[in-house]
């Protein structure tokens, strides 16, 4: 199983970016996918998660109202639309999915089995 995260970059505060997470095979079609981030010197933290059919979605309080998660199961892709970015959003963003059969969109890092390599988002002030 491989996950490929992309879409990061350098953006000014108030700007937008859209991250994509593409999975190999059909691993993602029924599995929850989460986005997490890790800022320099800090622990990895939960950002957002979506279940297999897209009906269960959760966000960290820090991104509610600014970030939107969505998925296209035919394309094996999950997106994270990030608007009104702030300098504190600067981090490496990772996507992850759970072991097949685990369908709950968990906010716990330890519940995710497969991880992408991360994409760097830098927000300048």
């Amino acid at each position: 199983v491989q996950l490929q995260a992309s879409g990061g970059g350098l953006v000014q505060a108030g700007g937008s970016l859209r991250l994509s997470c593409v999975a190999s095979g059909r691993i993602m079609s029924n599995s929850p996918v989460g986005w997490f981030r890790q800022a320099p010197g800090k622990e990895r933290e939960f950002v957002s998660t979506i279940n297999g059919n897209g009906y269960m979605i959760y966000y960290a309080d820090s991104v509610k109202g600014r970030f939107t998660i969505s998925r296209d199961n035919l394309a094996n892709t999950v997106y994270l639309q990030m608007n009104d970015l702030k300098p504190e959003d600067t981090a490496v963003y990772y996507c992850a999915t759970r072991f097949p059969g685990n369908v709950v969109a968990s906010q716990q890092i330890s519940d995710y089995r497969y991880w992408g390599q991360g994409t760097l988002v830098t927000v300048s002030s």
Side-chain angles (χ1 to χ4, degrees):
V1 175
Q2 290 186 333
L3 299 177
Q4 182 75 33
S6 63
L10 174 63
V11 64
Q12 289 187 332
S16 298
L17 285 173
R18 188 175 81 157
L19 306 184
S20 298
C21 177
V22 181
S24 61
R26 296 181 61 187
I27 183 63
M28 193 185 284
S29 61
N30 295 314
S31 297
V33 173
W35 284 99
F36 301 83
R37 67 186 182 186
Q38 188 165 16
K42 295 188 177 182
E43 293 186 351
R44 193 170 299 189
E45 64 177 5
F46 166 76
V47 175
S48 182
T49 185
I50 185 169
N51 75 333
N53 60 18
Y55 290 155
M56 299 298 291
I57 290 174
Y58 301 99
Y59 297 99
D61 289 343
S62 58
V63 306
K64 279 181 183 176
R66 300 188 297 122
F67 290 11
T68 302
I69 192 170
S70 62
R71 65 189 299 155
D72 180 349
N73 285 341
L74 291 179
N76 279 338
T77 303
V78 172
Y79 303 98
L80 186 67
Q81 177 66 44
M82 306 186 297
N83 298 329
D84 189 23
L85 283 160
K86 303 176 180 181
E88 52 263 42
D89 295 318
T90 294
V92 177
Y93 284 71
Y94 299 89
C95 61
T97 191
R98 302 192 66 179
F99 194 83
N102 290 303
V103 299
V104 174
S106 171
Q107 300 179 37
Q108 301 300 317
I109 293 173
S110 59
D111 286 339
Y112 289 81
R113 172 73 179 272
Y114 305 105
W115 291 80
Q117 85 290 358
T119 185
L120 177 62
V121 172
T122 303
V123 184
S124 62
S125 58

